Every structure is written in C-alpha cells, then in structure tokens.
Amino acid sequence: ESRNPAQTGEILGRVPLSHREDVEQAVASAKEADPAWRALSRIKRGEAIERFVDIVKAGADEMARLVAREAGKAINEARADVIEGIHMAQYMFGHARMPYGQALPSEIAEKDAYMLRKPKGVVSVITPWNFPFAIPIWLISPSLLEGNTVVFKPSEETPLVGEKIVECFERAGLPPGVLNLVQGMGEDVGWPLVVHPDVEVVLFTGSYE
C-alpha cells in the first residue's frame, strides 16, 4: 500500500512487491531488448523522449498532484519537481541531434584521434522519495538516449510516481524491455540490482538502506 504521509488513512494505491526473482526477470528483459534499442538511431531514441515530454506535459497537473500526495510535498514543490523532470527530458531530446564525440589532438600530424560514446548495456536506476519524478528522469532519459536499456527501482515510499513514469514512457512508444520497473525494498530489490552480473551501470541516489 502507498499512503498519503499527510493523511495516513488515505491509501493512494497498491503495487506489487518485487523480489529477487522479479529482478532476474527484469534484467533478462532489458538484456534481450538491448541489441535492437542500441541499433536504433540516436535521433529515433530522442524522438521517443520527445513524445514522453508531450505526454507528461499534457498531464502535468495530475502528475504534480500525485507527487504531492505520495511524497508529502506542497503542491508548488510538486509542480517544480515535475517541471525539472520535463526540462531534463527536453534537454536530452535536444542532445539527440548534437555531436556526441570529440576530436582529440595527436602528436602525429597524420593521425586522426577521436572519442565516441557507446552504450554500455543494462543500467539500473535506483532513486529516492524526495524528488520522485525529477531524479528518475535525470537518470533514465540520458541512459535511454545513449542506447542503454534500464531497470528502474523507485523508492518504496513513492512507488506510484515511479509506476506513472514508466506508463508515460510506454505510451511514448518504448519497445518492450527497454524500460523495466521493479518495486520494493533495498535489500530485496535494490541490492540484487547493484550486484547483478548483467547490469553494466548502476545509477543511484539515496540512503544506504
């Protein structure tokens, strides 16, 4: 159960409580989706993020109310949380058509040296309750743009906001397995994501627990 911390008798909703087996399934799904997603052009991946922005903007008031009720924020703070996430996703969409490498100087005149970023693979994203919309978008949208697939574990204090984020990305047309959601506690879900051998990158903000 997810409850309103300001009105603890109010049950906002219920989510499945994930365990290690769900982590295994989510990581396997992300790994399976990885080759096709990274093969998609960077611009096409950026367009999916743009569609996500349009969906969130159309329902921004509803999202802000959910953030306020689940995280216990004042409504103006909740709106700011949503706006920050929108701005980050817009920023990443803008990067879809920008150069994503660098030419490097060499001591040999005839030598061309350059650096080009490549996707790593499966990324785990573990986020806290206090910015339940903005922080996930700060971590998920760059990961997706760069061609990685994601397993996302929101805070157990704000699971419904996390669920809503994933719903919006699904509506934006992400292929199955590109963004996967697990819900639950750090010891049951977070830690298995951190140590999983098929997870190449861990993006984490939160307490040790």
Side-chain angles (χ1 to χ4, degrees), residues 48-118:
I49 295 173
E50 182 187 29
R51 292 192 297 272
F52 167 79
V53 169
D54 291 341
I55 290 165
V56 173
K57 286 172 71 175
D61 286 343
E62 178 188 355
M63 185 73 79
R65 286 194 298 271
L66 178 60
V67 169
R69 293 170 70 202
E70 191 169 50
K73 289 192 173 196
I75 188 63
N76 62 329
E77 287 288 332
R79 289 194 184 101
D81 190 341
V82 173
I83 290 168
E84 282 190 45
I86 289 171
H87 287 172
M88 181 58 172
Q90 288 173 324
Y91 178 73
M92 295 317 303
F93 165 64
H95 271 255
R97 292 182 179 271
M98 296 291 289
Y100 59 106
Q102 288 179 289
L104 306 174
S106 171
E107 68 279 2
I108 301 171
E110 294 79 16
K111 181 179 177 182
D112 292 326
Y114 64 90
M115 178 174 66
L116 183 64
R117 295 201 302 273
K118 296 286 188 179

Side-chain angles (χ1 to χ4, degrees), residues 16-25 182-185 187-189 192:
L17 192 62
S18 303
H19 294 285
R20 189 177 296 267
E21 295 79 11
D22 301 300
V23 171
E24 292 292 337
Q25 184 178 348
V182 289
Q183 301 274 20
M185 309 300 290
E187 59 268 28
D188 298 323
V189 183

